[in-house]
Each structure stands twice: as C-alpha cells, then as structure tokens.
Amino acid sequence: MDRQMIAKKQHIQAESYLVYNILRSGEIECSNTLEDEFDPELPGQALIYRPARQHIYSLLLEDNKDACNSCPIIKEWFVYFGNQLKHPELVQPIQLDIPGGTPSLRTLWLSQEAGVQSQRYDTFLACFHLQTEREELQALDNSRAALCCLLLYLLGQVDAFSLEDVNAFIAQTLCLQGKSVAQLSGLKLTHVDSRAVHLGSLFVRGLTTLILANNACGLPFRMDDLMAWKMFDGKLFQQKYQQSHRGCPVEELLEGNKCWLTEFQNLKSLICKACLKNNRALQSRQRGNEFIRENRRWDSSFQRPHQSHFAPSFHNPNQGHHWRGFGPGSSRFETGPSGRGYKSEEQNQKKRRFQHTPRWPR
C-alpha cells in the first residue's frame, strides 16, 4: 500500500499526527503558542523543536530524494515572536545518523519481522540524538522513558534549564499518579509564576513533537503513553516548580511519599549522567518568583517588528554535536546578548507579558 494512503487512513482515524500533511503537501503549521516574549533565556517553541522536526521530515521524505540526494524542502508556518506568518519558512530536512542507514517507512510502518520494533525504537531516539541512552531508557516504563527523552532533548537545546526545573518536572510527573480531577482542581496557589507557565507550555508542545516522531517511526511507543495526562498537569507543575526553586527538600516535593523517592533519584540520576556524558553542565539555579498579576496587560498581537535574541541550536551531522548558530535550511535570526540580566531598550520600556496567538488567516 502507498505510504501516503496509509498516512491518510491513519489521519482519518485520528491515529496519526501531522504525518499526512507533510507527505501530501510538504507543509506543516502551528499557529498558536503561549510563551513570554521578554524572557531571552527561553526561546520560541518553534525554534527549540525545529532540529527534531528536521530529522522527522528526513525520515518521512527519504523516498522523495532528488538526483542530488536531497529531500524536498518543507514549508513551516510556525508562530513565534517576530514571525508574522506572512510567508512560510523553508526548512531543509536533515539526515538521521543511524548505523546502516535510515529504515524505510514500509519497514517501520508495515513489517512484522522480528527486530523491527527495535529498529522503530532506535529511529525514534535518533530523531532526538538520544541513541547513547538507549539501554537506560528502554529499561523504564514507557511514560517515564518519554519524560526523560523530552527533558534530555530540552537540556540539549536550552542552556537556561536548571536542576530545579528538572526536579520540578520529575516530581510533578510522579505526584500526578493517583490524583483525581477534584484533587488537581482543588490545588491552592498563592500566585502564578510566569516562567513556570512558559516551561509548562514548552513541555506540552514537546509532547506533540514526541507524538509526531512516534507516528513517523511506526509507533515504538503506545500512543496512550505519550498523552499529556500521563505526565503533566499545569497547576501541579506550578506548585512543584515554586517548591523546587524555594529549595524545598525532595521529601516535600514528593509529598512525603517514600515509594516515589527511589524512582525520583533514578530518573534524576539518568538525566544527570546523560548530561555529564554530553558535556552539559546541569547546575542549580534557584530563581525568585515572577508573578503574573491581574493588572498585567495581555496582548495577542505579533505585529510589532522584532527579531529573536536567540540563536537556535542545530545539529551539524558533519561534526556530530550540537552547535548554536544558523542551521542548515533554516531562516537566519538576528542574535544578541542573552541571559537573565540582559534587557533591550524596548524591553525596559514595556512590561513583560505573554503572547497567546490566534490562528492566523492566510
């Protein structure tokens, strides 16, 4: 059966995410986001996950290569601050680094041969450059493995991720187990931290990227294991984020449940060892509260001209490591100073606010 027909069937049955759009039209869009435009340390979600998407595009379009062995360009309509979505960005797929070459979609999607499920898993990890962590990840429950995959990818892309952030994500995933809807909705927060909102939105967007990769790789994970309700609740994450950055002990983060302590330490150890292996210093960095106040002005417009102060991280297949700069097949972004202490003149004159963009007509 033709791969586009397979993708269409899965799309109609809601068993696939975005794969059919990419195969049919070579175009993909995400015209909504929730992020803090004036936090220079946390770049736009579209830019953070672009390197992973480039690998997924390459996997899906492997059979469409031209005489120069290049995959077709993908048109991306992804919103982030400064991008008014007047024109699509032209993104070049990037070849996966898999020993023996990239498996065909026919193999990944249809084959029932022994060993193919292992190929699916390896291909999924390759989309996020996590092949070296295969043994440790495969020993975990699927939802825990997905959590670690996402956190490790984010740690490789965003320098501002701290040990407190990792602790908060792990703790809220563990504490989410067994909590009822009533318990979650009844959580009391004295305030809402803006950075925690941004991180939570970034995490959920990452789950959709995991789902896209999972579909493209022939479902190495059960789809249910990648659903947000398995590992994330925004209100609970706010609580754990604030506790973690106040320096609360692990026992308090885990609500006194000793059964979760060993799992917390194991997941944290896996992430710290992987960071050490990849020369990523995971440091403690407690932050003060960044309240969202009721009188803060909200603005859903992306109309003001603005250039991102983030140079996106891309993988250079010729060097085998991540580097910050202008990635292959991607638009150039004006770079500038970064760090929490940096504020542009425009930023000093305006209050920090979130951007929640509507769907844009084209």
Side-chain angles (χ1 to χ4, degrees):
M1 185 183 294
D2 179 76
R3 60 201 173 99
Q4 193 171 132
M5 291 299 296
I6 297 172
K8 182 178 181 180
K9 180 181 177 182
Q10 293 173 340
H11 181 80
I12 292 172
Q13 296 174 345
E15 296 174 350
S16 183
Y17 173 71
L18 293 179
V19 169
Y20 178 60
N21 304 64
I22 296 168
L23 290 175
R24 183 180 64 85
S25 63
E27 196 164 354
I28 184 173
E29 70 169 294
C30 180
S31 52
N32 61 82
T33 190
L34 180 62
E35 51 197 55
D36 190 343
E37 68 180 83
F38 291 143
D39 186 343
E41 292 186 340
L42 291 176
Q45 299 169 10
L47 305 179
I48 290 175
Y49 293 112
R50 178 174 287 168
R53 293 197 305 274
Q54 287 177 288
H55 286 312
I56 296 169
Y57 300 154
S58 175
L59 173 64
L60 291 174
L61 300 173
E62 180 73 17
D63 294 338
N64 292 46
K65 287 184 175 179
D66 58 21
C68 298
N69 204 35
S70 297
C71 289
I73 298 294
I74 295 294
K75 295 179 180 179
E76 283 194 347
W77 298 86
F78 274 66
V79 70
Y80 53 87
F81 188 66
N83 182 11
Q84 300 180 25
L85 296 182
K86 291 183 177 179
H87 307 284
E89 292 182 276
L90 305 182
V91 178
Q92 176 69 56
I94 296 180
Q95 182 76 34
L96 287 163
D97 182 15
I98 300 178
T102 304
S104 69
L105 291 185
R106 178 170 292 277
T107 297
L108 293 173
W109 291 3
L110 300 177
S111 178
Q112 301 296 322
E113 294 181 9
V116 172
Q117 189 64 11
S118 180
Q119 272 190 300
R120 293 177 180 125
Y121 198 84
D122 289 338
T123 306
F124 177 90
L125 294 181
C127 291
F128 303 95
H129 296 283
L130 296 174
Q131 302 96 309
T132 56
E133 317 309 323
R134 185 190 198 282
E135 185 176 347
E136 292 82 359
L137 290 170
Q138 200 163 32
L140 299 174
D141 167 85
N142 278 347
S143 290
R144 301 292 186 263
L147 169 69
C148 290
C149 283
L150 185 47
L151 291 180
L152 286 172
Y153 179 80
L154 288 172
L155 284 163
Q157 297 294 317
V158 184
D159 292 337
F161 253 66
S162 68
L163 187 60
E164 286 77 15
D165 299 332
V166 171
N167 288 345
F169 275 116
I170 297 175
Q172 72 89 37
T173 298
L174 295 177
C175 293
L176 186 59
Q177 299 176 80
K179 285 195 185 298
S180 66
V181 174
Q183 287 175 310
L184 292 171
S185 61
L187 287 175
K188 303 298 182 184
L189 298 171
T190 58
H191 65 274
V192 175
D193 186 284
S194 63
R195 186 171 182 273
V197 173
H198 194 162
L199 286 178
S201 177
L202 180 62
F203 184 86
V204 173
R205 183 54 50 82
L207 290 178
T208 66
T209 306
L210 293 186
I211 290 170
L212 173 59
N214 192 51
N215 290 143
C217 296
L219 303 180
F221 291 87
R222 293 189 311 116
M223 288 296 289
D224 186 55
D225 292 326
L226 302 180
M227 295 296 106
W229 55 80
K230 284 275 189 174
M231 63 187 89
F232 185 80
D233 177 81
K235 206 171 182 182
L236 184 60
F237 178 68
Q238 273 283 340
Q239 182 187 74
K240 300 307 172 186
Y241 176 91
Q242 293 173 28
Q243 289 175 341
S244 182
H245 280 276
R246 285 202 308 267
C248 291
V250 174
E251 291 76 14
E252 184 175 343
L253 275 179
L254 299 178
E255 302 173 359
N257 191 321
K258 295 181 180 179
C259 298
W260 293 335
L261 184 59
T262 299
E263 187 172 8
F264 177 91
Q265 298 293 3
N266 288 342
L267 294 175
K268 180 178 175 180
S269 175
L270 186 158
I271 290 170
C272 289
K273 287 178 180 177
C275 287
L276 186 63
K277 190 187 305 182
N278 291 282
N279 298 316
R280 165 60 160 98
L282 182 54
Q283 299 176 338
S284 174
R285 189 179 181 185
Q286 292 184 17
R287 298 172 182 269
N289 295 322
E290 299 174 27
F291 301 164
I292 297 179
R293 304 185 186 280
E294 290 184 5
N295 62 354
R296 173 173 284 178
R297 185 163 66 90
W298 292 71
D299 183 0
S300 62
S301 170
F302 268 71
Q303 299 302 317
R304 287 184 293 111
H306 179 85
Q307 293 293 327
S308 169
H309 292 290
F310 171 69
S313 173
F314 295 93
H315 178 70
N316 184 342
N318 297 320
Q319 296 181 7
H321 64 274
H322 285 81
W323 56 283
R324 294 195 179 277
F326 304 124
S330 302
S331 300
R332 295 174 65 89
F333 298 92
E334 178 183 325
T335 60
S338 63
R340 183 156 291 278
Y342 170 74
K343 295 287 182 183
S344 69
E345 182 178 350
E346 179 186 23
Q347 290 171 342
N348 285 326
Q349 294 173 354
K350 296 179 180 289
K351 290 182 179 180
R352 174 175 293 180
R353 61 180 177 274
F354 278 90
Q355 296 289 353
H356 188 192
T357 62
R359 296 187 67 84
W360 288 71
R362 297 205 302 272

